[in-house]
Every structure is written in structure tokens, then in C-alpha cells.
Amino acid sequence: MKNLFTFIVALFMATSVYAQGTYAVANGETFTPGYKISKVPNITAYYMANDGNVFNAGKKTDNWADKDFKNYASIKTGDAAKFDGKTEPTGAYLKFEPTNDGTIIVGIQIDKFKELCLVGADFARITDYTYNLPSDEGKESQTLGTNNKTDGTTVDNCLTIKSNGTVTFNVKAGNTYYLMALGSKIGFFGFKYSVNEKVTITDAGFATHASKFAVDYSNRTDGLEAYSVSYNSSSKELTYTKIDGVVEAGKAVILKGKGDYILEASSKTATVTETGLKASDGSIKGAANIYCLANKNNVVGFYQVSSDVTIPANKAYLEINAANSAKYYSIGIGGNTTGIQTIQQNSVKADGIMYSLSGQRVGENYKGIVICNGKKMIKK
């Protein structure tokens, strides 16, 4: 029984492929032109400049948008970034070469009235990026706009106040990306790189998943839906709430779908920080109040986990601390294919009582799919 249940628990987690890494400039770290950074898996980065340029060593300065970046490097003397749209930029710029599809978050210092510019492998500008460039610590992000630095001079995609912040953009495997502030020597705090997660949901149609990064589940076009779950002590029911926003990194959710899906890191502020589910660290034992998503006798639901079972690391579970809690809580789909109905409390003892998929007790004259003694059957 233990092996069977362990298999079931693993089956109902969305399997995924994932990698993440961070490079942060160290205090006193020294740089040279074309400084190569290969410490983060699946990507190589460079802090580019011309031969003969003089770099300042890493200096303690907080990044106002990401506190993981505590130091930055800059170019003391040398050429500012230049870009003609035909060849690789010159001067001071950042260069990234990913080997997987993913998301990069770059910590930068950008001066006012300097044009922020992101360029792809074909030397065409990329406009699909997000940024968080506050005017000071604790301030909201400024807006990139068009400003007159001096009379007769127009600068696009620039700030009016100097900032220490971040720029986030998606990347494709094998391409090259260039980030710079035109006419300026961009300051560099470091970067974070997240390989996109590929999650797979079995034919059962449901799985639990905790992403290593924040994920935006709103406006998806691939049919994947995410839900949080809660227990109502009065009705003794579980209910799902569809998530239409950004889920905080490390928070487990219920996924509804079938097949393979790609999850990308979101740079937006998380709007969902509690989902009702917890992720095991590999030491959680089963108990009367511990439930995992599983499929028994063709009934998908949250089942009580035996005390002799250890929930594997990163697997999600539900705690229901209530008197007379059920052995399992089944998921009723009914005719609604776009949402998840209430999960109703059901008994699994062999008492012959029948329940509809919505959890209501039904009589002998009921026609349709019922659950009786923990098994699903059709009454005609």
C-alpha cells in the first residue's frame, strides 16, 4: 500500500524541467574589458567595453528594485554605448548568450536622459521587456518616456531621474542579447536567469505544482488553469478559487489541464501569496490531517496520507485540522469544463450510500454518474 500511494502522489505532481541561477557583483570584484561570466548554468554573460577602458571595482550600493543585488560595477574611463542597428554595439554594454529558453532579470544603474536599449541577435531592437526603475529606495518604478535633455535634444526611452533598478526580458536558446544605455556607461549589479519550466499533466487532468519563480496565470491562451483551495469548517467542504494573477514563488497550486505547458518567470509583483497548499521539504509524514491529490478507483481527489508514508520533497499537500474530517474529498467536474466545482466531503466506508459528483446524497432512482463505497459507477 505504501508503494502504491507513493506512486500516486508522484503521479499527481506536475513533472517539470527547471533551472535557475544568480550572479551578483561582489564588493571589490575587479573587471576587465569583455569580462566573461559563466557561473550561472545554461548562460554566458559579458560586461563589454573596449580595450584600454578602466573599470571601477565592485562597490557596495543597494539596488532599489532587487535587494539580492548589493554591489555594482561601472566603467571609469572609456566609450559610452553606441549602436547602429547593423553590427554589434560598441562601448559599454551587457551581452547574454543563453542555451535554453528562459527569463533574464538584469540589475543595472542607468543615468537620466540616457536611452535604454535592448537588442537581439539580428541587431534589431527588442521592445518586449519590462522594467522596475525607481527614483529612490522604496519608490515606485519610473516610466520610460521621451524627454528633452536640453533645448533641441530629444531622448527616447529614458528616465528623468537616475536609477538603480532592474530590466526583465524573455530569451530564446542560442540567441544573443545586448542591453545598454545609449550614450552612457551602464552600471552593472548582476543578473538572474530562469530556464522556463515545462510542466506535464497526465490524462487525469489535475496536478499540484510549486514553481521556483513567480508565475502569472492570467490571460493564458493554452488552456492551463490554476486554482487555490480552502476548507470551510461550517459546510465541511473544500472549494477551489481560480487564480487570475501572479502566484508567489514556491507556492503550490492546483493545475487543471492535460499535456505539456510552459511556465515563464514573471517580473510582476505577486498578487497571490497564499493558496491553501503546502510544499513538502521531504520530511513531512502522513497523518490524519494530511491529504495529497491522488486517483483511487478512478476517483480523483485529496486522500488522507498514511502515517508510514513520507511525502517526497517539493510535492504538495493539504492540511485539514478539523474534527471528523473525511478519508478523502472527491473532485466533482460535472458538465462545467471551464472551472472546478466544490469538492464535497464523502464517506468511503462500504455503506451502500450513493453520492452525485457534486457530493450530494442521491437515492435509488437517481440516473447518472454516482460514487458508492468509494467507487465511481453509472446508474441508468
Side-chain angles (χ1 to χ4, degrees), residues 188-216:
F188 180 42
F189 284 85
F191 69 94
K192 297 179 179 181
Y193 175 55
S194 301
V195 174
N196 290 346
E197 285 183 344
K198 176 184 176 182
V199 297
T200 301
I201 303 176
T202 68
D203 289 343
F206 298 94
T208 56
H209 179 70
S211 180
K212 298 293 185 182
F213 45 68
V215 177
D216 188 353

Side-chain angles (χ1 to χ4, degrees), residues 95-351:
K95 180 178 179 180
F96 301 93
E97 297 175 339
T99 59
N100 298 81
D101 293 358
T103 302
I104 298 177
I105 301 175
V106 189
I108 65 170
Q109 182 181 87
I110 181 173
D111 205 352
K112 60 183 180 180
F113 303 122
K114 302 300 181 182
E115 183 176 358
L116 183 65
C117 184
L118 177 63
V119 176
D122 56 357
F123 304 119
R125 290 173 182 261
I126 297 174
T127 58
D128 187 16
Y129 61 83
T130 58
Y131 57 89
N132 186 0
L133 299 167
S135 58
D136 201 347
E137 185 173 4
K139 300 290 186 179
E140 293 185 358
S141 179
Q142 300 179 75
T143 299
L144 293 177
T146 300
N147 297 282
N148 293 319
K149 180 180 179 183
T150 58
D151 292 341
T153 301
T154 300
V155 181
D156 295 327
N157 300 319
C158 70
L159 306 171
T160 56
I161 301 176
K162 183 177 181 179
S163 178
N164 297 337
T166 60
V167 178
T168 302
F169 51 96
N170 294 326
V171 296
K172 293 291 185 181
N175 286 354
T176 303
Y177 298 85
Y178 309 90
L179 181 65
M180 69 202 86
L182 295 181
S184 180
K185 292 169 277 190
I186 191 168
F188 180 42
F189 284 85
F191 69 94
K192 297 179 179 181
Y193 175 55
S194 301
V195 174
N196 290 346
E197 285 183 344
K198 176 184 176 182
V199 297
T200 301
I201 303 176
T202 68
D203 289 343
F206 298 94
T208 56
H209 179 70
S211 180
K212 298 293 185 182
F213 45 68
V215 177
D216 188 353
Y217 288 102
S218 62
N219 302 317
R220 292 192 70 95
T221 59
D222 56 5
L224 180 67
E225 297 176 354
Y227 292 81
S228 60
V229 61
S230 60
Y231 179 76
N232 187 314
S233 58
S234 297
S235 63
K236 296 185 178 179
E237 296 174 350
L238 295 179
T239 56
Y240 284 134
T241 301
K242 185 177 179 181
I243 294 171
D244 186 23
V246 180
V247 176
E248 186 178 39
K251 297 296 183 180
V253 298
I254 301 292
L255 294 180
K256 177 178 181 285
K258 186 166 66 174
D260 296 333
Y261 300 91
I262 298 298
L263 301 181
E264 297 179 349
S266 175
S267 61
K268 299 178 183 177
T269 301
T271 56
V272 178
T273 58
E274 182 53 60
T275 63
L277 290 165
K278 298 182 178 181
S280 173
D281 60 3
S283 65
I284 303 299
K285 294 282 189 180
N289 66 331
I290 302 294
Y291 293 76
C292 280
L293 193 65
N295 183 6
K296 291 186 178 183
N297 302 318
N298 294 320
V299 178
V300 178
F302 280 96
Y303 286 80
Q304 234 173 32
V305 183
S306 174
S307 60
D308 62 347
V309 174
T310 300
I311 301 176
N314 301 319
K315 308 304 180 184
Y317 65 95
L318 180 65
E319 281 189 5
I320 301 178
N321 296 308
N324 301 317
S325 57
K327 295 293 184 182
Y328 78 102
Y329 295 83
S330 64
I331 299 180
I333 298 298
N336 184 359
T337 60
T338 61
I340 300 182
Q341 295 179 345
T342 301
I343 303 176
Q344 305 285 353
Q345 181 176 351
N346 292 281
S347 173
V348 295
K349 63 183 181 180
D351 53 13

